[in-house]
Amino acid sequence: MPSYIALRLISAVAMALLASLVIFLISNFVPGDPVLAQLGDILASDPAVVAEWRAKWGLDLPLWERYGLFLKGLLHGDLGTSIATRRPVLDDIVQFAPATVELATISFAMALALGIPLGIAAAVWRDSWIDAVARALSLLGVSAPTFWLAFIMLAIFYGWLGWAPGPGRMDPIAFPPEGPTGFFLIDTALIGDWEGFHDALAHLILPAIVLAAATLGLITRTTRAAMLDCLQQDYVRVARAKGLVERVVILRHALRNALVPVVTLGGLAYANLLTGAVMTETIFAWPGLGRYTFRSAAALDFPAIMGITLVVSATYLLVNLLVDLSYALLDPRVRR
Amino acid sequence: MLSLPRTRWQRRLRRYGLAWLGGGIVLAWFLIAALAPWIAPWPPDAVDVTRRLIPPSSAHWLGTDILGRDVFSRLLHGARISLLAGFTVVLLGAAIGTAVGILAAWLRGWGEEALMRFTDLVLCFPPIILALALAAALGIGTTNTIIAMLVVWWPKYARLARSLALVQRSQEYVEAATVLGLPQKRILFRHVLPNTFGPIAVLCTLDLGIAILTFAGLSFLGLGVVPPTAEWGSMVSEGRELVEQWWVATFPGLAILTVVIGFNFLGDGLRDWLDPKAQR
């Protein structure tokens, strides 16, 4: 077991290094000239200033030395400076991340809480009405464009019915809590501001449902397929022959084995929520990483886009690592 | 569960009914895409600010957008770009990926290791974010966006093709062909490749929906097509703040939804047909 973990850690670090190399190479092939972008027209017309600037940022060095500098910067948390906000990209990301993590976590919890039971029920009562509902729901979830679903939900529940509050994390006239975590639900609860908590929660529900839709579809579908597979296995027949209650057979014997593919997919799906957040946050005016990504892409703010790619890729790698390690808990055969 | 006896026709309809429906939807969109210039009632780019944001009516079936362009006509024209982008990405991605995968399975040793680690490297990036970064680096435009998507699209095919080819390699017919003294290249192209087609075709069909969704998503973010080109993702984007004028964003989204559902039904049916044991 320890050697398995060590091996996975080493390969994850190697992958992260390679990924940073890829990102470095892409940002070096940008058609736009960073000198012009950073210095502006007037300063960039003076060759001496340009040469000094290039030397200062190491742009006159050979490619591999610049990669070394880039890595050194990364280790110091330097992801470059955003052209649009004129702030270090890392500061931007730290500021916007909590809003996205809060939204993604709530949606993921919703998708799991609904998707796994629905998948189990669909497999146990195969071809029944609940199976039909589960299949229709998962088909719609994976087929509907997130950005469109966000628009529709907002148009119906905010614009037409008026049941949900409008875009944003809180009411525009409310004072958002100041720290310490940046998660509004936690921050308001910590200072006992229940009115703010309620406001934040109300604003969270609609975007969370939209973001959860695709994940819910995938989780339901995978749970159903894995359960159908497990329910046909010999050990399930043995368990039934022993006279175990059906509930025990399904939950202890079949489900535990069916969870392995669900965990794999769940890990990936959580990381994918960050992608879905780009669309959802844009429409719900949610001040998170997704909207920051959208704005950076629209403004062709290259340092910001590369910084986000790097951070999200690192998250992806970390989630994959955790998923692999969790196999060891779920499946004793991996430990050997 | 009690199973009632069914006629053969009922069983067939039950098994493949949705696949036919999916095929019908896809075919309909193909016809629309091909015939768009002839069946669209208005030119897709005709701006008329005196007729902006008209609700659906007999003159404008799906209303008009903020520049007074006919949403229905733009929707029909949008089918062309979505289908074209989807097919280009999936077919080229599958071709590149399959080539890499089969080559890896055939090389074995360090060649296989290098190819597959490279594949894993691309897979470790979140696809939309990497495509977004590439599309931003290459510049806005349909071709550039397709290139960016291709970069992130091929790895899943490489993995699938390699595992399929590895299974085929150990089959007796390959051994027999080797014993018969057939050249390796012939075995690879004439024997192994055709036997890997089924699962790859299934993946392609299901993937077409995802590719169309992704392209629409990138267009929604402003990277896919150059305005004023009619494209579904950018049409939703143009209408995203018009909650009162819901028709501007709603109909292009429904178009995406139906085409993706069509490819999903078709892909599921194809899988059942090719592998009746894997009925889900």
Side-chain angles (χ1 to χ4, degrees), chain A residues 15 18-19 22-23 31 126-127 139 142-145 147-148 151-152 155 229 275 278-279 293-294 302 305 309 312-313 316, chain B residues 1 14 120-121 124-128 132-133 136-137 213 217 220-221 236 239-240 243 249-250 253 256-257 264-265 280:
Chain A
M15 272 301 188
L18 278 172
V22 171
I23 288 167
R126 194 181 173 179
D127 290 334
L139 178 72
V142 297
S143 304
F147 52 91
W148 176 74
F151 170 82
I152 295 290
D229 215 38
T275 309
V278 178
M279 321 284 182
T293 311
F294 171 71
F302 214 72
I305 296 174
T309 312
V312 177
S313 307
Y316 233 58
Chain B
M1 182 171 292
R14 197 180 161 74
D120 287 347
L121 177 66
C124 89
F125 287 100
I128 290 206
L132 193 79
L213 268 181
F220 171 81
L221 296 177
V236 176
R240 72 173 187 272
V243 174
T250 304
I256 303 174
L257 181 68
N264 273 329
F265 282 158
R280 286 279 142 82

Side-chain angles (χ1 to χ4, degrees), chain A residues 23 52 59 65 87 114 137 163 187 194 196-197 217 238 312:
Chain A
I23 288 167
E52 191 194 338
L59 288 176
E65 273 186 47
R87 300 197 321 158
L114 192 62
L137 211 61
W163 290 355
D187 289 345
W194 297 111
F197 181 85
V238 170
V312 177

